[in-house]
Amino acid sequence: MSHEKYRETLPASWFYDPLQFRRELKAIWGRAWLCIGREEDWPAAGDFHRLPIGAEQIIVTRSEDDVLHAFHNTCRHRGSILCEADSGTFANRRIVCPYHAWSYSLSGELKQAPRATESDGIRLEDFPLYRVALETWRGFVFINLDPEPAISLDQTLEPEAGYVARWPLEQLRSVRRESHRLRCNWKIFWENYLECYHCPGVHPDLCRLVPVYRTGYMDYQDAGLEQDPQRPHAMLRPGAVTWSQDGFTDLPWFKGLGEKELEAGMTFATFRPTMFLVAHVDYVRTVRVMAVGPEETELTVDWYLHRDTGPLPAAEIDRLAAFAGQVVSEDAHACELNQQGIRCSRHEQGVLLEPEDCVFEFEQWVRERLGE
Amino acid sequence: MSHEKYRETLPASWFYDPLQFRRELKAIWGRAWLCIGREEDWPAAGDFHRLPIGAEQIIVTRSEDDVLHAFHNTCRHRGSILCEADSGTFANRRIVCPYHAWSYSLSGELKQAPRATESDGIRLEDFPLYRVALETWRGFVFINLDPEPAISLDQTLEPEAGYVARWPLEQLRSVRRESHRLRCNWKIFWENYLECYHCPGVHPDLCRLVPVYRTGYMDYQDAGLEQDPQRPHAMLRPGAVTWSQDGFTDLPWFKGLGEKELEAGMTFATFRPTMFLVAHVDYVRTVRVMAVGPEETELTVDWYLHRDTGPLPAAEIDRLAAFAGQVVSEDAHACELNQQGIRCSRHEQGVLLEPEDCVFEFEQWVRERLGE
Amino acid sequence: MSHEKYRETLPASWFYDPLQFRRELKAIWGRAWLCIGREEDWPAAGDFHRLPIGAEQIIVTRSEDDVLHAFHNTCRHRGSILCEADSGTFANRRIVCPYHAWSYSLSGELKQAPRATESDGIRLEDFPLYRVALETWRGFVFINLDPEPAISLDQTLEPEAGYVARWPLEQLRSVRRESHRLRCNWKIFWENYLECYHCPGVHPDLCRLVPVYRTGYMDYQDAGLEQDPQRPHAMLRPGAVTWSQDGFTDLPWFKGLGEKELEAGMTFATFRPTMFLVAHVDYVRTVRVMAVGPEETELTVDWYLHRDTGPLPAAEIDRLAAFAGQVVSEDAHACELNQQGIRCSRHEQGVLLEPEDCVFEFEQWVRERLGE
């Protein structure tokens, strides 16, 4: 597996073998904190969304005491689904099974099992809905399919959450959501995200905006370059303030950002394996990742503004989303090219160069999660 | 598996696991008597129908001596199918393979293998078509894929055949056939059929016609209710005589029914695992069940009248079929909801209450068939 | 498996079982010389075609020194595909990976790995493209996926190549190409090709053109018939000169054919398992075979004329291709009938008669390849 002269990638088969995928679903995805949206997606008690998470269906709702809850969409009686709709509001603050009318509170307690008698041996308290762990962080909602999560949300968030501490994340509002179905393994997506070695060829416009990317490195230090001492944190080309076609913005700037954040013009925070966040002076973007199949991955991209920003005309939102949208599309295409070639029977392992240090580190993390 | 306080269902995985499905195909479906139609579907010698039964193709034909025969649709030479058409009449009373023209009698003997010589070692009598057991019961045709059926047709029919003894089943004629492809396991269908616990929520119109169904029980005794001593057998609401939108009928009544059958207004006979029959004063209905895949089941519903009934206008047949058709659709939807939720990874087994006694008995029967 | 009185076919399951298919892919298809086209398909240096071969993608290109090369379409870095287009010309005589711009010569050497340094341990000479063996024979291009082919192209070609020695194969030009996707196992296709026992029933027009086929045998000797001593090599009916609707042709005849070839009117050469060639006085036809799945086979049929023949109107090419096209369609249909019936659970093995001697020999060859 290891070569004395150069660093090798994970075995190629790990990127398409269905058994390996099942291992990773269990050991990585079944234990991870998965970002599923924002608290404001459930404005009132009884509001629900139904979410397909891999092979599972999860319902998330808000109870009368204003707490968010996540449950498997399955009745404890004979396993019927509870919600047929993708979203809506539970009537009468009850979750009622459409099959035999077993009825649950919004916090998941079984309140009524029609015609159950003592001789059936059914005690209502023994049959709550199957609960899914749910926590929130600064407005973002995370769930964890592990019945007893071994990883805390903090472990997922730290230390990167600190990088975006000055942004008012609690006060964001999503103004655009896009979904992309990528025909590639989920690790292909992350490996693409974790290196800029592909930037010169794949992202010419991005390289004009973020000049260091032209070197194939993520930052000046890795590239072995001196930064302008006048602007030691700057990532964007002189004059540019945000990720947009021209580098400028007509939107209001977030208040409270420090000199470092303003100068950088872009700040990333990565919450592996399900989400990363990019914060600019005027908007925040998140990309959520979901492993769908050995060679299929779902991306959900959100663009957020401060919730006090007035409604924007559609054309302005298009403009806001255009630049990063293009970068996502370029990466998606590169990921799919990678996936196609990796199935070659002769290709057993690839190699990693210095600009791919973070890919190497990611692959070590995957191996550890799998106990290798 | 078993719980001291309450009764648990079969393991949830039995309703979707492909290996379990294969076990059941072999141990249950490969040994069962499968109803495939009515004798009158083959009016003359040489008439044939081709039937997909699971992964097999079966041809059924009538020989010159008026006997029905079932064969695998496979030539003994190199395995080509014999019939390409779904139905028709064999020319010249011969079944001729379209590939190399091996030719069989309507009762399956190999009559000619062109160019076969003594040196080939082919004795015609050694290569009859692969025969499938076939028996009839009061006009209904059953086959059994077990080369030597371990279960007799009588075992399948008794005692329920007796319940409909007074109906002139031999003289029926199907006037409407509907097929439904359900995205659920075949056992989900039967479990739905075997309890009325779901009736109040799923079948409001049916509960108006059959008042005891409102209780969630199949009959008054199970429901612990006293029946009207004037009408001790009655199942339909006062005034109603059959399963129809208004409970009435313009069709002639079957002759020879006893007071009990007339008063009941509905009589079921169940021939597990492939068919049930509902007999009313004016029409008979059968539902045939076929396991297609772990999560796919085919239903074929027929509505029969006495064959002496003159031809009915299409609108009248629509009216005849509407009510039970609605009930079938409601059940199909409930079955599919159940299937969707049962795949939840946390749901290992459901529970059964008193109104589900017949479901429990069915699950015991399944376990026994599998030798558990 | 073997019967003392008659000859049995391969086990029926070998014609549909996915595991057996994988065995054959590896032991037979992974070692065979596969015909992929004609040298003239790559007229200039840098021209390329991308070919799906089973689950692999192969690129074939011509280098500056006029040599054809075949490579897996996979970069040695992290496994991206190199070519996205199905065909085209490599710019600047370089094969450049679209992901990280690793760059290879047309003969497969890695020429540049951007930003690779000594500390990465990457020596360019250690990372050539994964080469696929390629050889040519009289204008036909063959590849072999076996990294070190155990079978020589000569072994594949001999002795049948000799049968068509007098045709100017180097000077052919394809004027029509048709593809057919057959829903059958690849062996079903070959077994059909290897016997004429099916001809009387399946190919009535062909039997009019080639009278001996009416006997179910391939030639007069096997059929035990005396041939016309005036025309001892003739296969076509008196007056006919080629495979066409009326047996005649308006096209020029190939020069250099001997009396035997002219009299025969048709000469076959079979290069198992991937191709056969039929040579007539006026045109040559090839059928290439590719195993796609356990029950799926791709055929590619080409009609060739001498390259000096002027351009033909489309209607004339249609006429040229019509007769053999009909025969291919008739065989394709027969193959699919065979495949459908062979899945019957009762059909374990078929039997072979004398006209099927070549099928028996083919099945022995398959068994040997698999080490049985």
Side-chain angles (χ1 to χ4, degrees):
Chain A
M1 285 283 203
S2 71
H3 193 281
E4 57 183 308
K5 282 193 299 214
Y6 45 83
R7 293 184 302 194
E8 293 183 311
T9 64
L10 296 177
S13 65
W14 285 27
F15 295 89
Y16 54 81
D17 176 44
L19 290 179
Q20 174 65 19
F21 181 69
R22 289 225 296 255
R23 268 179 86 196
E24 296 176 5
L25 273 191
K26 197 172 163 189
I28 299 177
W29 291 87
R31 295 177 177 180
W33 286 94
L34 312 168
C35 184
I36 56 161
R38 295 274 306 169
E39 289 187 63
E40 58 270 28
D41 295 338
W42 293 266
D47 291 348
F48 71 86
H49 292 286
R50 180 173 74 149
L51 310 163
I53 305 285
E56 308 282 345
Q57 281 191 24
I58 306 298
I59 47 178
V60 177
T61 191
R62 186 180 288 282
S63 57
E64 296 94 323
D65 53 353
D66 219 28
V67 177
L68 286 173
H69 301 270
F71 308 109
H72 286 271
N73 187 17
T74 294
C75 180
R76 293 296 307 269
H77 172 220
R78 267 166 50 202
S80 171
I81 59 167
L82 301 161
C83 284
E84 298 181 60
D86 287 334
S87 57
T89 301
F90 290 120
N92 307 314
R93 315 242 151 142
R94 280 285 179 276
I95 304 172
V96 181
C97 178
Y99 199 174
H100 301 92
W102 282 34
S103 161
Y104 302 85
S105 73
L106 296 176
S107 49
E109 298 95 16
L110 177 58
K111 302 306 265 189
Q112 214 191 349
R115 285 157 204 93
T117 65
E118 207 156 312
S119 69
D120 290 317
I122 307 292
R123 295 190 313 177
L124 298 185
E125 60 267 38
D126 292 339
F127 293 91
L129 292 180
Y130 298 111
R131 177 173 293 279
V132 173
L134 183 150
E135 293 191 25
T136 61
W137 169 72
R138 305 194 65 196
F140 291 100
V141 181
F142 291 79
I143 62 172
N144 191 317
L145 294 175
D146 191 351
E148 299 189 3
I151 297 165
S152 72
L153 179 56
D154 267 3
Q155 282 174 284
T156 301
L157 297 173
E158 291 312 322
E160 307 246 336
Y163 307 165
V164 289
R166 285 170 174 267
W167 271 267
L169 300 185
E170 295 81 353
Q171 286 134 45
L172 297 181
R173 175 171 63 93
S174 173
V175 295
R176 167 65 55 91
R177 174 169 294 175
E178 280 179 12
S179 289
H180 298 261
R181 188 61 66 109
L182 271 56
R183 285 161 300 179
C184 72
N185 185 273
W186 69 276
K187 300 188 298 298
I188 293 273
F189 168 81
W190 278 111
E191 300 196 351
N192 171 276
Y193 170 77
L194 289 166
E195 49 92 352
C196 217
Y197 187 23
H198 68 275
C199 291
V202 171
H203 304 300
D205 288 345
L206 178 60
C207 285
R208 271 187 283 277
L209 182 67
V210 186
V212 74
Y213 283 2
R214 272 182 223 149
T215 67
Y217 287 94
M218 293 274 202
D219 56 43
Y220 288 89
Q221 191 182 339
D222 289 347
L225 295 176
E226 290 290 323
Q227 208 150 356
D228 178 355
Q230 303 294 314
R231 305 168 65 237
H233 304 296
M235 292 296 288
L236 307 183
R237 64 169 167 70
V241 299
T242 191
W243 275 35
S244 67
Q245 299 289 18
D246 57 9
F248 306 124
T249 183
D250 293 331
L251 292 165
W253 291 24
F254 291 112
K255 295 182 177 64
L257 301 186
E259 197 167 322
K260 183 178 166 192
E261 286 93 351
L262 294 172
E263 188 179 294
M266 55 188 264
T267 302
F268 280 78
T270 306
F271 308 128
R272 216 153 56 189
T274 71
M275 180 204 189
F276 71 83
L277 187 154
V278 201
H280 302 287
V281 295
D282 55 339
Y283 75 94
V284 169
R285 181 168 61 96
T286 58
V287 176
R288 293 188 270 137
V289 186
M290 184 64 55
V292 176
E295 303 186 89
E296 201 163 4
T297 298
E298 174 96 10
L299 295 191
T300 308
V301 188
D302 278 279
W303 283 258
Y304 303 91
L305 298 180
H306 195 288
R307 67 184 174 208
D308 295 342
T309 314
L312 293 190
E316 202 160 336
I317 295 177
D318 287 347
R319 207 157 59 91
L320 170 72
F323 186 78
Q326 175 190 327
V327 173
V328 169
S329 295
E330 289 163 351
D331 280 326
H333 183 64
C335 288
E336 295 186 342
L337 295 180
N338 197 356
Q339 187 69 34
Q340 277 188 64
I342 214 162
R343 297 209 64 147
C344 163
S345 62
R346 295 279 295 281
H347 182 72
E348 293 177 9
Q349 280 180 291
V351 295
L352 296 172
L353 307 194
E354 192 183 290
E356 297 166 304
D357 280 355
C358 291
V359 176
F360 183 73
E361 187 274 325
F362 169 74
E363 296 198 339
Q364 294 293 89
W365 175 86
V366 169
R367 283 191 180 96
E368 276 164 30
R369 287 288 165 290
L370 296 166
E372 301 226 344
Chain B
M1 285 284 203
S2 71
H3 192 282
E4 57 182 307
K5 281 191 299 207
Y6 46 82
R7 292 184 303 193
E8 293 183 310
T9 64
L10 295 177
S13 65
W14 286 27
F15 295 90
Y16 54 82
D17 176 45
L19 290 180
Q20 174 65 20
F21 181 69
R22 289 225 296 255
R23 268 178 87 196
E24 295 176 5
L25 272 192
K26 197 171 163 192
I28 299 177
W29 290 89
R31 295 177 176 179
W33 286 94
L34 312 168
C35 184
I36 57 161
R38 297 275 304 169
E39 289 187 62
E40 58 270 27
D41 294 338
W42 293 268
D47 291 348
F48 71 85
H49 292 285
R50 180 172 75 150
L51 309 163
I53 304 286
E56 309 282 345
Q57 282 191 24
I58 306 298
I59 47 177
V60 177
T61 191
R62 187 181 289 280
S63 58
E64 296 94 322
D65 52 353
D66 220 27
V67 177
L68 287 173
H69 302 271
F71 307 111
H72 286 271
N73 187 18
T74 295
C75 180
R76 292 298 306 270
H77 171 219
R78 266 165 52 200
S80 171
I81 57 166
L82 301 161
C83 285
E84 299 180 61
D86 287 334
S87 58
T89 302
F90 290 120
N92 307 313
R93 316 243 150 142
R94 279 287 179 275
I95 305 172
V96 181
C97 178
Y99 200 174
H100 301 92
W102 282 34
S103 161
Y104 302 84
S105 73
L106 296 177
S107 49
E109 298 95 16
L110 177 58
K111 302 305 266 188
Q112 215 191 348
R115 286 157 203 93
T117 65
E118 209 157 309
S119 69
D120 291 318
I122 307 293
R123 294 189 314 175
L124 300 185
E125 61 267 38
D126 292 339
F127 293 90
L129 293 180
Y130 298 110
R131 178 174 293 280
V132 173
L134 182 150
E135 294 191 24
T136 62
W137 168 72
R138 304 194 66 194
F140 291 101
V141 180
F142 290 80
I143 62 172
N144 192 316
L145 295 175
D146 192 349
E148 299 189 4
I151 296 166
S152 71
L153 179 56
D154 268 3
Q155 280 175 284
T156 301
L157 297 172
E158 292 310 324
E160 307 246 335
Y163 306 166
V164 289
R166 286 169 173 266
W167 271 268
L169 301 186
E170 294 82 352
Q171 286 134 44
L172 297 181
R173 176 171 63 93
S174 172
V175 295
R176 167 64 55 91
R177 174 170 292 174
E178 279 179 11
S179 288
H180 298 261
R181 189 59 67 108
L182 271 58
R183 287 161 298 178
C184 72
N185 184 272
W186 69 277
K187 300 188 298 298
I188 293 273
F189 167 81
W190 278 111
E191 300 196 350
N192 171 276
Y193 169 76
L194 289 166
E195 49 91 352
C196 217
Y197 187 24
H198 68 276
C199 291
V202 171
H203 304 301
D205 289 345
L206 178 58
C207 286
R208 270 186 283 279
L209 181 66
V210 186
V212 73
Y213 283 4
R214 273 183 222 148
T215 66
Y217 286 94
M218 294 273 200
D219 56 42
Y220 288 88
Q221 191 182 339
D222 289 348
L225 294 177
E226 289 290 321
Q227 209 151 356
D228 178 355
Q230 303 294 315
R231 304 168 65 239
H233 304 296
M235 291 296 287
L236 308 183
R237 65 168 166 69
V241 299
T242 191
W243 275 36
S244 67
Q245 299 289 19
D246 57 9
F248 307 124
T249 182
D250 293 331
L251 292 165
W253 290 24
F254 291 113
K255 293 183 179 66
L257 301 186
E259 197 169 319
K260 185 179 166 191
E261 287 92 350
L262 294 173
E263 188 180 296
M266 53 188 267
T267 302
F268 280 78
T270 306
F271 308 129
R272 215 151 61 190
T274 71
M275 180 205 193
F276 71 84
L277 188 156
V278 201
H280 301 287
V281 296
D282 55 340
Y283 75 93
V284 169
R285 182 166 60 96
T286 58
V287 176
R288 293 188 271 137
V289 186
M290 185 63 56
V292 176
E295 303 186 88
E296 201 163 6
T297 298
E298 174 95 10
L299 296 190
T300 308
V301 188
D302 279 278
W303 283 258
Y304 303 91
L305 299 180
H306 195 289
R307 67 185 174 207
D308 295 341
T309 314
L312 293 189
E316 201 160 336
I317 296 177
D318 288 348
R319 206 156 60 89
L320 171 72
F323 185 78
Q326 175 191 326
V327 173
V328 169
S329 295
E330 289 164 350
D331 281 326
H333 183 63
C335 287
E336 294 186 342
L337 296 180
N338 197 355
Q339 186 71 33
Q340 277 188 64
I342 215 161
R343 297 211 63 149
C344 163
S345 62
R346 295 280 296 280
H347 183 72
E348 294 177 8
Q349 281 180 290
V351 294
L352 296 172
L353 307 195
E354 192 183 290
E356 297 166 304
D357 280 354
C358 292
V359 175
F360 183 73
E361 187 273 329
F362 168 76
E363 297 198 338
Q364 294 294 87
W365 175 85
V366 169
R367 283 190 180 97
E368 278 164 28
R369 287 289 166 288
L370 296 167
E372 301 226 344
Chain C
M1 286 282 205
S2 71
H3 193 282
E4 56 183 309
K5 280 191 300 209
Y6 46 81
R7 292 186 301 195
E8 292 183 312
T9 64
L10 296 176
S13 65
W14 285 28
F15 295 89
Y16 54 83
D17 176 45
L19 291 178
Q20 173 65 20
F21 182 69
R22 290 224 296 254
R23 267 178 88 195
E24 295 177 5
L25 273 192
K26 196 170 165 193
I28 299 177
W29 290 89
R31 296 177 176 181
W33 286 94
L34 311 168
C35 184
I36 58 161
R38 296 276 304 169
E39 289 187 62
E40 59 270 26
D41 294 338
W42 293 267
D47 292 348
F48 71 85
H49 293 285
R50 180 173 74 149
L51 309 163
I53 305 285
E56 308 282 345
Q57 281 191 26
I58 306 299
I59 47 177
V60 177
T61 190
R62 187 181 288 281
S63 57
E64 296 94 324
D65 52 355
D66 218 28
V67 177
L68 287 174
H69 301 271
F71 308 110
H72 286 270
N73 187 17
T74 295
C75 181
R76 292 297 307 270
H77 172 218
R78 265 166 51 202
S80 171
I81 57 167
L82 302 161
C83 284
E84 298 181 61
D86 287 333
S87 58
T89 302
F90 290 121
N92 306 316
R93 314 244 151 144
R94 279 286 180 274
I95 304 172
V96 181
C97 179
Y99 199 174
H100 300 92
W102 283 34
S103 160
Y104 303 84
S105 73
L106 296 176
S107 48
E109 298 94 16
L110 177 58
K111 302 305 265 188
Q112 213 190 351
R115 286 158 203 90
T117 66
E118 207 158 312
S119 69
D120 291 317
I122 307 291
R123 296 189 312 175
L124 298 186
E125 60 268 37
D126 293 337
F127 294 90
L129 293 180
Y130 299 111
R131 177 174 293 279
V132 174
L134 182 149
E135 295 191 25
T136 60
W137 169 72
R138 306 194 64 196
F140 292 100
V141 180
F142 291 79
I143 61 172
N144 191 316
L145 295 174
D146 191 351
E148 300 189 3
I151 297 166
S152 72
L153 179 56
D154 267 3
Q155 282 175 284
T156 301
L157 297 173
E158 292 311 324
E160 307 247 335
Y163 306 165
V164 290
R166 286 168 173 267
W167 271 267
L169 300 185
E170 295 81 353
Q171 287 135 44
L172 298 182
R173 174 171 64 91
S174 173
V175 295
R176 166 65 55 89
R177 174 170 292 174
E178 280 179 11
S179 289
H180 298 261
R181 189 57 68 108
L182 271 56
R183 286 160 300 179
C184 71
N185 185 273
W186 69 277
K187 299 189 298 299
I188 293 273
F189 168 81
W190 278 111
E191 301 197 350
N192 172 275
Y193 169 77
L194 290 166
E195 48 92 353
C196 216
Y197 188 22
H198 68 277
C199 291
V202 171
H203 304 302
D205 289 344
L206 178 59
C207 286
R208 270 186 284 277
L209 182 67
V210 187
V212 73
Y213 284 2
R214 272 183 223 148
T215 66
Y217 286 94
M218 292 275 201
D219 57 42
Y220 288 89
Q221 192 183 339
D222 289 346
L225 295 177
E226 289 291 321
Q227 210 150 355
D228 178 355
Q230 302 295 314
R231 306 169 63 239
H233 304 296
M235 291 296 288
L236 308 183
R237 64 169 166 72
V241 299
T242 190
W243 274 34
S244 67
Q245 298 289 18
D246 56 11
F248 307 124
T249 181
D250 293 330
L251 292 164
W253 290 24
F254 291 113
K255 294 183 179 65
L257 301 186
E259 196 169 321
K260 184 179 164 190
E261 287 93 350
L262 294 172
E263 188 179 295
M266 54 189 265
T267 302
F268 280 79
T270 306
F271 308 129
R272 215 153 59 192
T274 72
M275 179 207 192
F276 71 84
L277 186 156
V278 201
H280 301 289
V281 295
D282 55 339
Y283 75 94
V284 168
R285 182 167 61 96
T286 58
V287 177
R288 292 190 270 137
V289 186
M290 186 62 57
V292 176
E295 303 187 87
E296 202 163 4
T297 298
E298 174 95 10
L299 296 190
T300 309
V301 188
D302 278 280
W303 283 258
Y304 303 92
L305 299 180
H306 195 288
R307 66 185 174 207
D308 295 342
T309 315
L312 293 190
E316 203 161 335
I317 296 176
D318 286 348
R319 207 156 59 91
L320 170 72
F323 186 78
Q326 174 190 327
V327 173
V328 168
S329 295
E330 289 163 351
D331 280 327
H333 183 63
C335 288
E336 294 185 342
L337 296 181
N338 197 356
Q339 187 70 35
Q340 276 188 63
I342 215 161
R343 296 211 64 149
C344 163
S345 62
R346 295 280 295 281
H347 182 72
E348 294 177 7
Q349 281 180 291
V351 294
L352 296 172
L353 308 194
E354 193 184 289
E356 297 166 306
D357 280 356
C358 292
V359 175
F360 183 73
E361 187 274 326
F362 169 75
E363 297 198 338
Q364 294 293 89
W365 176 85
V366 169
R367 283 190 180 97
E368 277 164 29
R369 288 288 166 289
L370 296 166
E372 300 227 344

